[in-house]
Amino acid sequence: MEDVIIIGGGVIGCMTMRYLSAYKLKVSLIESHSDLASGATMANSAIVHAGYDPVPGTQKAYFNVRGAELYKTVSRELDFLYKPLASLVVAFNGDEMEHVEKLYHRGLENGVPDLHIANQAELRELEPNISPEAKGALVAASAGITEPWGAAISAAENAMDNGAGLILGEKVIGIEKIGEGFVVRTDKKEYKARTVVNAAGVYSDKIHDMLLPPAFTITPRLGQYYLLDRKTVGLVNHTLFACPSKVGKGVLVSPSVHDKLLVGPDAKVVADRDLTMTDAEGLAFVRENAGRFLKDPLPMNLNIRTFAGIRPTPSTDDFMVGKTEMPGFYQAAGVESPGLASAPAIGSYLADEIARDLGAEKKSDFNPIRRPQIRLNRLSEAEKREWIGRDSRYASIVCKCEKVSEAEIVDAIHRNAGATTVKGVKKRVGAGFGRCQGGFCQPVVVNILARELGIPKDQVKYDDEGSEILVGKVK
Amino acid sequence: MVKNPELLIVGGGSAGMAAALSARKSGIQDILILETDPYLGGVLRQCIHTGFGLQTFGEDLTGPEYAGRYQDMMEEEKIPYLLNTPVLEILPDLTVLAISRTEGYLELHPKAIVAATGCRERSAGTIAIPGTRPAGVLTAGTAQRYINIEGYHAGREVVILGSGDIGLIMARRLTLEGAHVKCVAELMPKSGGLTRNIVQCLEDFDIPLLLSTTVAEIHGKERVTGVTLAPVDENLKPILEKSWYVACDTLLLSVGLVPETELFSAAGAEIERGNGLKVDEKLMTSIPGLFGCGNVVKVHDLVDRVSRQGELAGRYAAEYILGGK
Ligand SMILES: Cc1cc2nc3c(=O)[nH]c(=O)nc-3n(C[C@H](O)[C@H](O)[C@H](O)COP(=O)(O)OP(=O)(O)OC[C@H]3O[C@@H](n4cnc5c(N)ncnc54)[C@H](O)[C@@H]3O)c2cc1C
Ligand SMILES: Cc1cc2nc3c(=O)[nH]c(=O)nc-3n(C[C@H](O)[C@H](O)[C@H](O)COP(=O)(O)OP(=O)(O)OC[C@H]3O[C@@H](n4cnc5c(N)ncnc54)[C@H](O)[C@@H]3O)c2cc1C
């Protein structure tokens, strides 16, 4: 019998798992995919929003502002990539300047620190390449950028280091309330738990409806992006948002924590909740709308990848975080943007709620620190020499584009919540993230996975079941 | 301990080896080649078909045979090289930072450098094909490496996009190994591949070459299940009304090669409009003492020309070093 079962291994489920692991509770997380961070957490804008956007008084406003603050400490404890970086909401005309003022006041009401409105001259100074049409901007200095899947995976690893359990590749297909507890049925097994947390993202309405009468629906809304090569470094210094207009919520242009430039998204309601496909119109929309920020056209020829993610947009327009009508059943449902920014705040809130309800105390030996992840390409020369001296596999560079060593890959495979697939390696260490997109290093990564996992090369998968890369030996 | 060479060569493909040999002939003793792969020869190693060296050796060799000849000459001349040693950074004063599996972190100060890093293939991400991003989409060169070096198939039912030489050669190779190559689609009205490859790799195996045709969408969640093919209009836009579906488990891309110039452009070397390193008539880049040859300067069809350019770069680099003394 578990004390808590969390359904969903996105950033929300993983952060909840991590904060719960600080308590004397038996916690497990069930994720239907073969790896964590396979839903909205894998494909989004990666912005830790400051919190000026949500309507005051909503859960979105509450968790966003607290989450943005928490990132500073939690990213250090868990050693995932996070960088404070001001967000700019750029106005191109008088109407948009009015909107910027509105956001400014909303931000103040939400308790967002370090907000101000920049005039055209200051905007030019912040962004020398900005279009001459840009009149001014809201500057939110408490915003940041992060690696969403890194946040999720490192949180889960830390939770497992503190005793939590992880069940991958099992889909929850039914939940029953039996006596004081629950039976959670997956497509493979059954689990008993005193409490259940619904963190199922775009499926959070379905999980809700397994225990309670329907109360809300989730509409899947696709967003598509381009990712431009690191040669764009210096072109844009901050996250640039446009004001919403008749054509929809604005497209953004933002540096990423990997020194790439992220351009997107569009927004389109889709039928399939899992099919994150791009289409020609969506990509064209992104290109056209992102084009207006700078004085010169964006160098779209430096594109190294396009991708898409699905927003779990709730019919209620707000997150549904906390207790439900059913004792023991908790949820973080409908967590669309700013869900990433809110994640640590949602996780710690839910953990405290559940622990209080179950009367659980804090562990005296909880270790909030994840063993640091060595990232060779971010080390100084002296540090590089030192790590190579300790383990010569740091001198074996596998991914030339992002400069990732074999030691980093092997470490990522053997940690808790470790990589078992090529995409898993890519998420954890960035091999294959660069301009050749794995053309050179994928065969080497396949070899390392096969060796470390003790499986034949043609059983190494790219991602989920059925995604083997190789289809048999040459005779 | 690795000591500072007078001439450092980045990349041990056909260009780099030719440059090293001719620099030695021109009087440079201290030469070092740094190569990221575990072998010399570069792309030649995975080209197990013939068609190499008709000009240089007057013989029709395979890629590895051609590379082997150069390696033998290198052994004879005792030219030192380090394998598994990617160069990570070059500074404008010709400082070279590299990491070697055997020697660890290296900081070297040569008098001259020859850039011979070859090129990479344009990926699916770069050309932004709409649809899903499943397993089974890979570049022809990666598939070539899987089959020829690792000994594994990357697919059974194959559509190839792009009729560059690697794509054509892989169409034949995969067919000979028992895969079913359904067609080669080419965006342009004419193939960029060598005529001999179109004849020997497609026509001889009845593989259709569909000109002015592209992949309009990729299908499949985990693994490719098919692609939508469509003819293109005069602006190279797919005409979706005329599109059709082809079931397949693999999409191979042979959509162009891009010179690996980033290491040198980051040091300030100028880039030519065609994307290669810009060099003068003595194959020197805009950075004094940094020379370039082979596919990093311009993508070559024939290895003989690469070797020839490598020889020249080695000689000019030697003159530069000796002249400076
Ligand atoms: C295009 C886009 C842009 C965004 N930009 C931002 C941004 O810049 N800043 C920001 O703060 N937020 C942003 N968001 C929102 C943010 O990405 C999400 O709020 C956040 O990732 C939600 O995390 P989650 O864990 O709730 O969902 P998910 O990451 O989707 O995780 C839910 C998990 O539950 C699993 N699951 C579902 N059903 C079951 C089942 N029956 N059994 C087992 N497992 C199940 C799924 O497989 C999935 O892994 C964006 C979202 C999108 C799509
Ligand atoms: C599939 C294919 C088929 C071909 N068929 C024929 C044919 O039939 N006949 C013919 O004559 N020609 C053919 N060619 C053309 C010819 O073989 C090539 O153009 C030539 O070999 C390229 O030589 P190179 O030295 O410029 O590049 P490469 O062979 O690519 O060598 C570059 C080397 O630099 C290394 N390198 C790159 N970056 C770094 C770094 N940062 N640090 C250290 N090392 C680095 C690489 O690992 C590589 O070994 C073919 C080419 C291909 C790709």
Side-chain angles (χ1 to χ4, degrees):
Chain A
M1 173 85 113
E2 303 289 319
D3 292 313
V4 190
I5 282 183
I6 301 163
I7 302 168
V11 70
I12 300 296
C14 293
M15 281 290 174
T16 306
M17 181 191 188
R18 190 261 177 167
Y19 286 101
L20 276 169
S21 74
Y23 289 98
K24 291 180 181 161
L25 289 170
K26 205 163 170 256
V27 181
S28 278
L29 183 146
I30 303 178
E31 165 57 48
S32 60
H33 287 279
S34 65
D35 196 3
L36 296 165
S38 294
T41 301
M42 190 56 208
N44 56 63
S45 305
I47 312 298
V48 178
H49 295 289
Y52 49 76
D53 216 22
V55 177
T58 57
Q59 284 201 335
K60 284 183 182 173
Y62 178 86
F63 287 115
N64 186 165
V65 176
R66 278 155 190 78
E69 174 62 27
L70 274 175
Y71 262 89
K72 297 177 185 126
T73 45
V74 81
S75 63
R76 240 178 287 131
E77 290 173 346
L78 299 178
D79 188 28
F80 66 81
L81 299 175
Y82 162 78
K83 185 173 155 194
L85 185 72
S87 283
L88 273 49
V89 183
V90 183
F92 288 88
N93 54 45
D95 284 356
E96 294 190 346
M97 267 323 271
E98 267 175 42
H99 182 77
V100 159
E101 303 239 343
K102 205 175 95 192
L103 289 180
Y104 171 72
H105 289 291
R106 204 188 264 183
L108 293 184
E109 214 178 322
N110 288 346
V112 178
D114 306 328
L115 276 179
H116 77 278
I117 294 177
N119 62 17
Q120 197 170 37
E122 191 195 341
L123 178 56
R124 290 255 173 89
E125 219 162 276
L126 290 169
E127 292 291 347
N129 297 317
I130 199 88
S131 153
E133 311 278 312
K135 301 277 181 283
L138 176 68
V139 180
S142 65
I145 52 176
T146 189
E147 187 186 57
W149 52 91
I153 293 167
S154 62
E157 181 189 329
N158 182 239
M160 291 177 78
D161 291 346
N162 286 291
L166 177 62
I167 299 151
L168 291 173
E170 290 190 34
K171 183 176 181 166
V172 172
I173 53 170
I175 317 173
E176 275 162 78
K177 173 106 190 173
I178 294 179
E180 288 295 282
F182 298 85
V183 173
V184 178
R185 247 180 315 116
T186 73
D187 49 1
K188 297 194 179 113
K189 281 183 201 151
E190 267 186 17
Y191 303 88
K192 292 204 179 69
R194 291 168 72 198
T195 62
V196 170
V197 180
N198 169 14
V202 77
Y203 288 100
S204 52
D205 53 346
K206 307 283 180 203
I207 298 290
H208 171 274
D209 297 353
M210 288 178 186
L211 285 167
L212 290 165
F216 61 92
T217 53
I218 300 281
T219 304
R221 277 165 65 239
L222 187 87
Q224 310 183 38
Y225 296 88
Y226 283 93
L227 196 65
L228 308 190
D229 187 83
R230 65 166 82 242
K231 280 184 214 161
T232 53
V233 164
L235 193 62
V236 171
N237 301 327
H238 304 85
T239 302
L240 303 183
F241 290 97
C243 291
S245 67
K246 283 132 261 155
V247 279
K249 209 172 168 211
V251 164
L252 67 87
V253 177
S254 178
S256 79
V257 285
H258 302 106
D259 293 334
K260 313 283 188 322
L261 198 64
L262 193 64
V263 184
D266 66 334
K268 186 171 79 176
V269 173
V270 288
D272 190 320
R273 298 183 183 213
D274 298 313
L275 200 59
T276 54
M277 54 180 280
T278 57
D279 60 55
E281 303 103 82
L283 292 174
F285 175 89
V286 169
R287 280 197 308 272
E288 278 156 32
N289 282 275
R292 59 196 270 254
F293 281 112
L294 303 186
K295 53 181 184 244
D296 297 320
L298 279 173
M300 297 310 289
N301 59 322
L302 293 180
N303 167 54
I304 57 173
R305 181 140 181 105
T306 53
F307 65 91
I310 295 179
R311 306 169 179 90
T313 302
S315 52
T316 57
D317 254 4
D318 198 5
F319 300 162
M320 285 154 282
V321 174
K323 293 187 177 53
T324 64
E325 303 94 275
M326 181 179 284
F329 182 43
Y330 300 80
Q331 66 184 5
V335 184
E336 60 174 343
S337 190
L340 172 67
S342 307
I346 292 176
S348 81
Y349 170 83
L350 278 176
D352 292 348
E353 268 313 83
I354 294 167
R356 184 167 340 111
D357 292 352
L358 292 180
E361 291 165 26
K362 288 235 159 136
K363 286 176 189 160
S364 56
D365 58 349
F366 172 68
N367 179 7
I369 309 294
R370 184 175 76 114
R371 178 167 59 81
Q373 186 177 336
I374 303 307
R375 298 178 179 90
L376 198 71
N377 62 2
R378 289 169 193 258
L379 297 183
S380 70
E381 191 193 315
E383 291 167 324
K384 280 190 183 118
R385 286 183 196 277
E386 188 197 327
W387 281 98
I388 290 168
R390 281 198 218 178
D391 182 344
S392 64
R393 288 174 304 178
Y394 282 106
S396 166
I397 304 296
V398 174
C399 169
K400 272 198 295 177
C401 303
E402 301 293 300
K403 306 184 175 75
V404 179
S405 67
E406 182 171 351
E408 291 162 78
I409 296 174
V410 171
D411 182 38
I413 294 171
H414 294 298
R415 282 171 180 264
N416 273 329
T420 57
T421 62
V422 170
K423 188 162 180 187
V425 167
K426 177 170 163 179
K427 285 183 194 175
R428 286 162 181 80
V429 301
F433 239 75
R435 51 178 72 103
C436 90
Q437 288 287 301
F440 285 120
C441 71
Q442 195 197 67
V444 186
V445 172
V446 167
N447 290 348
I448 295 173
L449 277 164
R451 185 188 74 209
E452 298 296 320
L453 300 173
I455 57 173
K457 290 181 195 177
D458 50 4
Q459 280 177 24
V460 173
K461 296 181 186 63
Y462 175 66
D463 192 10
D464 272 306
E465 210 58 47
S467 67
E468 285 79 1
I469 287 171
L470 302 172
V471 299
K473 274 195 172 158
V474 175
K475 269 156 220 106
Chain B
M1 233 349 236
V2 179
K3 70 178 183 64
N4 273 319
E6 281 186 293
L7 175 63
L8 188 135
I9 295 170
V10 190
S14 38
M17 289 196 287
L21 282 164
S22 92
R24 175 59 62 78
K25 248 190 225 134
S26 309
I28 302 298
Q29 276 313 307
D30 267 347
I31 301 173
L32 178 63
I33 302 182
L34 299 183
E35 167 57 51
T36 183
D37 274 335
Y39 42 74
L40 291 172
V43 71
L44 292 172
R45 284 286 159 185
Q46 61 187 55
C47 298
I48 62 169
H49 56 282
T50 56
F52 295 83
L54 281 168
Q55 291 175 18
T56 311
F57 298 109
E59 284 177 67
D60 197 8
L61 305 173
T62 67
E65 283 169 356
Y66 186 93
R69 299 266 172 117
Y70 270 86
Q71 236 178 302
D72 291 346
M73 292 188 263
M74 296 244 306
E75 298 297 337
E76 228 161 87
E77 290 294 327
K78 298 201 171 48
I79 292 176
Y81 55 86
L82 286 174
L83 302 177
N84 297 307
T85 307
V87 172
L88 302 182
E89 205 178 332
I90 292 177
L91 308 180
D93 68 351
L94 302 188
T95 299
V96 175
L97 305 176
I99 290 188
S100 158
R101 192 178 290 182
T102 49
E103 309 297 323
Y105 192 87
L106 299 176
E107 179 181 329
L108 299 170
H109 301 277
K111 292 191 178 126
I113 297 175
V114 175
T117 46
C119 54
R120 67 170 174 275
E121 297 175 279
R122 198 165 275 143
S123 73
T126 321
I127 57 169
I129 306 175
T132 51
R133 296 165 301 286
V137 181
L138 69 173
T139 62
T142 306
Q144 187 178 47
R145 160 142 194 192
Y146 276 128
I147 201 164
N148 291 346
I149 295 185
E150 308 291 336
Y152 279 88
H153 285 289
R156 302 269 177 221
E157 298 284 317
V158 184
V159 169
I160 298 179
L161 176 61
S163 58
D165 284 313
I166 319 182
L168 299 176
I169 283 161
M170 281 307 288
R172 173 175 66 186
R173 180 89 179 103
L174 290 169
T175 307
L176 290 173
E177 289 295 341
H180 178 201
V181 178
K182 296 199 149 176
C183 61
V184 175
E186 167 59 56
L187 182 69
M188 306 307 281
K190 188 177 163 296
S191 166
L194 294 169
T195 309
R196 72 162 195 238
N197 283 337
I198 294 176
V199 174
Q200 294 169 8
C201 300
L202 299 188
E203 291 174 9
D204 289 0
F205 294 90
D206 291 326
I207 298 169
L209 172 60
L210 311 173
L211 297 171
S212 298
T213 303
T214 194
V215 172
E217 188 175 331
I218 298 173
H219 305 266
K221 265 185 193 164
E222 310 310 335
R223 173 103 203 171
V224 178
T225 53
V227 294
T228 299
L229 290 176
V232 294
D233 63 19
E234 60 284 357
N235 300 318
L236 305 180
K237 286 255 171 332
I239 308 170
L240 293 177
E241 305 79 62
K242 293 192 186 161
S243 70
W244 72 100
Y245 179 82
V246 179
C248 60
D249 65 10
T250 304
L251 174 64
L252 278 201
L253 301 171
S254 176
V255 290
L257 299 165
V258 188
E260 278 269 321
T261 55
E262 282 76 12
L263 201 53
F264 314 103
S265 59
E270 281 174 40
I271 301 299
E272 197 67 67
R273 261 179 51 107
N275 271 335
L277 273 182
K278 189 173 177 177
V279 289
D280 63 15
E281 67 286 350
K282 296 225 153 173
L283 298 176
M284 190 155 87
T285 66
S286 59
I287 297 180
L290 176 64
F291 296 79
C293 56
N295 286 351
V296 70
V297 171
K298 177 180 155 282
V299 175
H300 291 71
D301 292 332
L302 289 177
V303 70
D304 308 84
R305 301 213 180 112
V306 171
S307 298
R308 181 85 195 103
Q309 196 178 40
E311 273 163 38
L312 290 173
R315 169 143 47 93
Y316 294 137
E319 284 171 11
Y320 176 87
I321 293 170
L322 297 172
K325 263 187 185 162

